[in-house]
Amino acid sequence: MKIRSLASKVHAKEAHRAGLAMSNETSVVSSQGLSLAIDVFGQGDALLFAHSLGSCRHQARRLLAPLGSDFQVILFDQRGHCGSTPVTDSSLYDPRRMASDIAAVLDHLGVEQAIVAGESMGAATALLFAIAEPKRVKHLLQIAPTAADQRNPSCEMIMALADFAAEYGLQAAADAVALAAMGSGIPRTAAQMITSVWKHHQLDSFVAANRTVPPWVLFDNLTPLAALRMPIGIFAWGGDPSRPLSLARRLASAARRGHLETVDSLAALAADP
């Protein structure tokens, strides 16, 4: 699997397709008493994608639509996000509980094994699912991983964003983040797309997720990765403290079959996918 080819589509190559029509067909699966909204499209090997903190399946579909010609793409709103059950209880954002949501989605669809990909928060839940149920993961793809054996270095900033959203609202928080992204060289269209879905979240749930997820520490060390036998592709970029390139490098080194691809920055990826 070409890591950059897949990961590029997640962030930049299809950014201009923000107006792509979405399917109105949505399924709902129950997981630990919560409802998860899912979309499936395309034909081929099953590829499940777990989105990042604050994102949703609609945004993922706009970006991953081209993969439908080669894969059966499975998208879902992670708990507390968009069309899934809002979550304000911090204990329900436990990363292993969220990893079990992936199993619930695959079980609901009757998929025994899939390529499992995730970005940022989704990379963490995908990794934990692969550790819990390795036989169900054909390939594991980690895009811009943020959590493993150390606290995220931007944890306090993201939690402060949650406090800002709680006081001033989601649109104000989205505008602030988009402006900051543009200040880092991200094109305006791409910067706005990053936060365009925030208005579809329930405010209290968004705030709870952004206060609870950033401090995640998944393990004491990276030893669990060495036991994984499936190929693990890792795609990351520099210049983003919340998605440290150093973590991606350490994950690739710790994995038995890890392969790392990088670009200089997210702005570089957006400019030349």
Side-chain angles (χ1 to χ4, degrees):
M1 178 181 294
K2 295 182 179 179
I3 304 169
R4 179 169 178 173
S5 176
L6 178 58
S8 293
K9 290 184 176 71
V10 174
H11 268 287
K13 192 170 184 179
E14 300 297 324
H16 66 282
R17 297 182 58 163
L20 182 69
M22 296 292 101
S23 168
N24 291 325
E25 296 181 5
T26 300
S27 299
V28 176
V29 58
S30 177
S31 179
Q32 300 178 24
L34 303 175
S35 294
L36 307 176
I38 64 174
D39 283 345
V40 181
F41 65 92
Q43 295 182 338
D45 290 344
L47 188 160
L48 179 142
F49 179 79
H51 63 73
S52 60
L53 179 64
S55 188
C56 71
R57 74 189 193 282
H58 296 304
Q59 188 175 60
R61 180 159 183 170
R62 285 198 294 265
L63 303 175
L64 296 177
L67 297 182
S69 60
D70 300 308
F71 300 97
Q72 179 193 40
V73 181
I74 302 167
L75 308 173
F76 72 106
D77 288 337
Q78 298 212 67
R79 58 174 63 193
H81 287 68
C82 207
S84 292
T85 303
V87 172
T88 57
D89 180 350
S90 61
S91 69
L92 296 181
Y93 286 112
D94 176 84
R96 285 166 178 77
R97 287 188 173 189
M98 293 183 68
S100 71
D101 291 341
I102 295 176
V105 170
L106 293 180
D107 290 345
H108 174 77
L109 298 172
V111 175
E112 183 58 32
Q113 188 182 60
I115 300 164
V116 177
E119 180 191 1
S120 189
M121 175 184 77
T125 55
L127 175 58
L128 289 174
F129 174 73
I131 291 171
E133 300 198 41
K135 292 183 179 179
R136 303 193 70 176
V137 181
K138 184 176 182 180
H139 299 276
L140 177 65
L141 179 59
Q142 299 275 282
I143 301 171
T146 57
D149 59 337
Q150 298 175 1
R151 189 181 176 101
N152 187 286
S154 293
C155 174
E156 297 300 327
M157 182 273 292
I158 299 170
M159 295 170 73
L161 173 65
D163 294 340
F164 183 90
E167 184 168 355
Y168 298 105
L170 286 175
Q171 189 59 58
D175 291 344
V177 170
L179 287 171
M182 291 173 63
S184 299
I186 306 299
R188 183 173 184 175
T189 301
Q192 291 175 330
M193 185 180 64
I194 294 171
T195 58
S196 63
V197 298
W198 285 11
K199 61 186 177 182
H200 300 297
H201 289 72
Q202 199 270 346
L203 175 61
D204 291 343
S205 185
F206 178 93
V207 169
N210 279 268
R211 285 174 175 166
T212 307
V213 171
W216 278 358
V217 176
L218 308 183
F219 349 90
D220 293 332
N221 54 61
L222 299 182
T223 301
L225 272 77
L228 296 177
R229 297 181 177 274
M230 78 286 291
I232 302 176
I234 303 166
F235 184 81
W237 48 82
D240 186 348
S242 67
R243 299 169 175 190
L245 183 56
S246 59
L247 172 59
R249 289 174 173 151
R250 292 196 304 113
L251 291 174
S253 296
R256 180 181 302 201
R257 301 177 65 187
H259 175 70
L260 174 67
E261 292 189 20
T262 66
V263 293
D264 290 339
S265 66
L266 182 56
L269 179 60
D272 182 21

